[in-house]
């Protein structure tokens, strides 16, 4: 099903593409010696997973995922690249091999760029999917480091990226918990996250970037109730509370360390908001907002989602917009490749603090 495109949105993405391209070239030129040495280690969920999600589970391995890049499903929860890919480009390296790929022997020589341990749907704690949570992901990393000590896996240019927690909240609400218990949940999530960050640091990673929570209420999953015209204030308030506690905890970690910039918060909330023009009162934004909050790929009805196929008739039960390059969101939860391009441009200065 074809969507109307916004000229201003297209102009925005075009300008952002130029910025990212110039930024990546600049970083690569200035840090050419690091390009071959910098190792990127990634932990978390679908926002940074580049192919660990099991193929047998479908989802990101089904059509139409990956139609923009690389042209077929690659395990990324998008039509193309995700946050990991753009971070790698900004710091002047390549997106690292996935842990699943390395274990299966698919890319034996590409570990020189680091490794991605992130699994879609996972969280700090166990979630609704039976995949490795962050603690287990770090266990994999620790085993990997111990096995590869003679290969100088960790060096002075090693950095880590963490994107996690959204699925912890989703699991909490799916289990019929109440708003009253949220402060305790957030405290537990942040405390465990801090512990996990310290573990990664002790394993030799020089700097660590931790994503703040995106404005949850702006995800199509929640914006659909307002016909994609508004973000949900309730979910956004939850994200703001989480982010406040996260920033305070990371500031404390840096104050306790010799280098006060070891840990960097990547502010997804403001990056999403800026990309969606939410720095202005959303009620004053014109109807073009619908094209920003509405997903490019969605189920033909609420019973279906992007990528679903009728098991009996084998007919597709989803529709894809006519121009993925004009969409900010790919599906009900995840940004499109161009969405991530816009977001990463707003994160650029924070990302460069890691280099």
């Amino acid at each position: 099903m074809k969507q109307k495109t916004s000229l201003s949105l297209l102009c925005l993405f075009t300008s952002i593409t130029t910025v990212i391209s110039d930024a990546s070239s600049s970083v690569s030129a200035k840090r050419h010696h690091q390009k071959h040495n910098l190792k990127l280690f990634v932990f978390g969920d679908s926002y940074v997973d580049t192919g660990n999600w099991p193929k047998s589970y479908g989802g990101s391995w089904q059509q139409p995922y990956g139609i923009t890049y690389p042209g077929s499903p690659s395990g990324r929860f998008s039509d193309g690249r995700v946050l990991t890919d753009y971070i790698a480009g900004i710091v002047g390296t390549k997106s690292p091999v996935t842990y699943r790929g390395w274990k299966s022997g698919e890319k034996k020589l590409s570990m020189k760029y680091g490794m991605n341990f992130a699994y879609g749907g996972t969280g700090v704690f166990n979630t609704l999917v039976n995949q490795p949570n962050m603690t287990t992901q770090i266990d994999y990393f620790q085993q990997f480091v111990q096995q590869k000590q003679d290969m100088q896996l960790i060096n002075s240019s090693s950095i880590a990226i963490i994107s996690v927690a959204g699925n912890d909240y989703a699991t909490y609400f799916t289990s019929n918990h109440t708003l009253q218990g949220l402060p305790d949940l957030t405290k537990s999530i942040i405390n465990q996250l801090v512990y996990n960050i310290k573990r990664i640091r002790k394993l030799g990673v020089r700097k660590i970037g931790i994503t703040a929570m995106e404005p949850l209420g702006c995800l199509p999953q929640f914006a659909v109730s307002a016909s994609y015209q508004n973000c949900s204030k309730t979910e956004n308030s939850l994200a703001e509370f989480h982010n406040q506690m996260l920033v305070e905890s990371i500031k404390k970690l840096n104050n306790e360390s010799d280098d006060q910039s070891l840990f960097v918060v990547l502010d997804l909330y403001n990056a999403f908001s800026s990309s969606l023009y939410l720095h202005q009162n959303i009620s004053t934004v014109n109807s073009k907002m619908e094209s920003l909050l509405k997903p490019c790929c969605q189920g033909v009805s609420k019973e279906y989602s992007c990528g679903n196929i009728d098991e009996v008739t084998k007919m597709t039960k989803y529709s894809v917009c006519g121009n993925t390059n004009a969409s900010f969101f790919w599906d009900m939860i995840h940004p499109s490749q161009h969405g991530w391009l816009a977001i990463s441009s707003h994160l650029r200065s924070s990302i460069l603090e890691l280099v």
Side-chain angles (χ1 to χ4, degrees):
M1 183 171 64
K2 207 165 185 177
Q3 281 185 309
K4 292 182 179 180
T5 59
S6 165
L7 180 60
S8 61
L9 181 59
L10 287 171
C11 290
L12 169 67
F13 285 142
T14 299
S15 63
I16 289 174
T17 302
T18 302
V19 171
I20 288 291
S21 178
D22 292 345
S24 297
S25 298
S26 176
V27 172
S28 297
K30 292 180 180 179
R31 305 180 183 278
H32 181 73
H33 67 287
Q34 285 192 343
K35 187 173 183 179
H36 300 288
N37 296 321
L38 189 148
K39 295 182 186 294
L40 184 62
F41 300 98
V42 184
F43 306 86
D45 53 29
S46 58
Y47 276 12
V48 288
D49 182 359
T50 55
N52 279 312
W53 182 258
K55 289 185 177 180
S56 60
Y57 280 40
S60 58
W61 288 104
Q62 292 178 318
Q63 297 286 354
Y65 287 82
I67 60 172
T68 301
Y69 172 85
S72 60
S74 65
R76 290 170 171 82
F77 289 80
S78 178
D79 64 305
R81 295 173 177 84
V82 295
L83 183 59
T84 298
D85 302 301
Y86 287 111
I87 289 177
I90 289 173
V91 300
T93 187
K94 294 183 178 181
S95 201
V97 63
T98 60
Y99 177 73
R100 183 195 63 82
W102 174 74
K103 286 283 287 185
S104 63
E106 291 178 7
K107 302 177 181 179
K108 296 180 181 179
L109 301 178
S110 60
M111 64 180 71
K112 63 181 179 180
Y113 300 113
M115 187 165 288
N116 190 325
F117 297 90
Y119 283 76
T122 62
V124 173
F125 303 114
N126 291 335
T127 60
L128 299 173
V129 301
N130 185 25
Q131 297 301 315
N133 64 19
M134 190 178 177
T135 295
T136 304
Q137 291 175 26
I138 299 173
D139 290 342
Y140 292 160
F141 177 49
Q142 183 171 344
Q143 295 167 10
F144 186 73
V145 170
Q146 293 171 345
Q147 292 171 4
K148 303 294 178 180
Q149 283 180 341
D150 59 331
M151 297 179 63
Q152 295 184 326
L153 178 69
I154 309 295
N155 58 35
S156 60
S157 298
S158 299
I159 62 177
I161 299 297
I162 298 170
S163 171
V164 75
N167 294 311
D168 291 287
Y169 289 105
T171 300
Y172 177 84
F173 285 115
T174 302
S175 302
N176 295 320
H177 288 92
T178 64
L179 291 173
Q180 285 72 23
L182 274 178
D184 289 337
L185 173 65
T186 301
K187 184 177 180 180
S188 296
I189 290 173
I190 297 299
N191 287 343
Q192 183 63 43
L193 185 55
V194 168
Y195 176 80
N196 291 345
I197 290 170
K198 290 180 177 179
R199 275 192 68 191
I200 295 172
R201 178 74 181 108
K202 287 180 180 179
L203 287 169
V205 176
R206 185 176 61 92
K207 287 191 175 184
I208 302 174
I210 309 98
T211 63
M213 189 82 70
E214 70 277 9
L216 294 174
C218 297
L219 301 183
Q221 179 179 2
F222 300 106
V224 64
S225 61
S227 300
Y228 305 112
Q229 297 296 318
N230 290 288
C231 299
S232 170
K233 293 182 179 180
T234 301
E235 281 75 20
N236 279 357
S237 295
L238 165 60
E240 290 169 359
F241 179 68
H242 171 95
N243 292 341
Q244 181 182 354
M245 290 192 65
L246 174 65
V247 169
E248 291 174 356
S249 296
I250 297 304
K251 182 178 180 181
K252 182 179 179 182
L253 270 181
N254 281 323
N255 288 338
E256 293 172 351
S257 65
D258 296 330
D259 184 346
Q260 293 193 4
S261 60
L262 283 176
F263 312 102
V264 178
V265 175
L266 304 180
D267 193 350
L268 279 189
Y269 193 100
N270 283 330
F272 268 73
S273 299
S274 297
S275 301
L276 291 168
Y277 305 113
L278 296 181
H279 56 285
Q280 298 176 347
N281 187 329
I282 195 166
S283 64
T284 67
V285 179
N286 61 26
S287 60
K288 292 176 183 177
M289 179 57 69
E290 179 175 353
S291 66
L292 292 174
L293 297 181
K294 189 174 183 179
C296 176
C297 182
Q298 57 185 322
V300 295
S301 63
K302 64 180 181 181
E303 292 82 16
Y304 300 100
S305 59
C306 180
N308 282 174
I309 297 177
D310 188 285
E311 295 182 1
V312 178
T313 65
K314 304 302 179 183
M315 293 181 63
T316 58
K317 291 297 181 179
Y318 60 87
S319 63
V320 180
C321 65
N323 188 354
T324 59
N325 292 339
S327 295
F328 184 86
F329 285 107
W330 167 243
D331 59 22
M332 298 298 282
I333 300 174
H334 307 99
S336 64
Q337 171 168 291
H338 274 286
W340 279 123
L341 182 62
I343 293 164
S344 61
S345 74
H346 291 289
L347 294 174
R348 179 176 175 270
S349 60
S350 296
I351 292 171
L352 289 178
E353 290 181 36
L354 298 168
V355 182

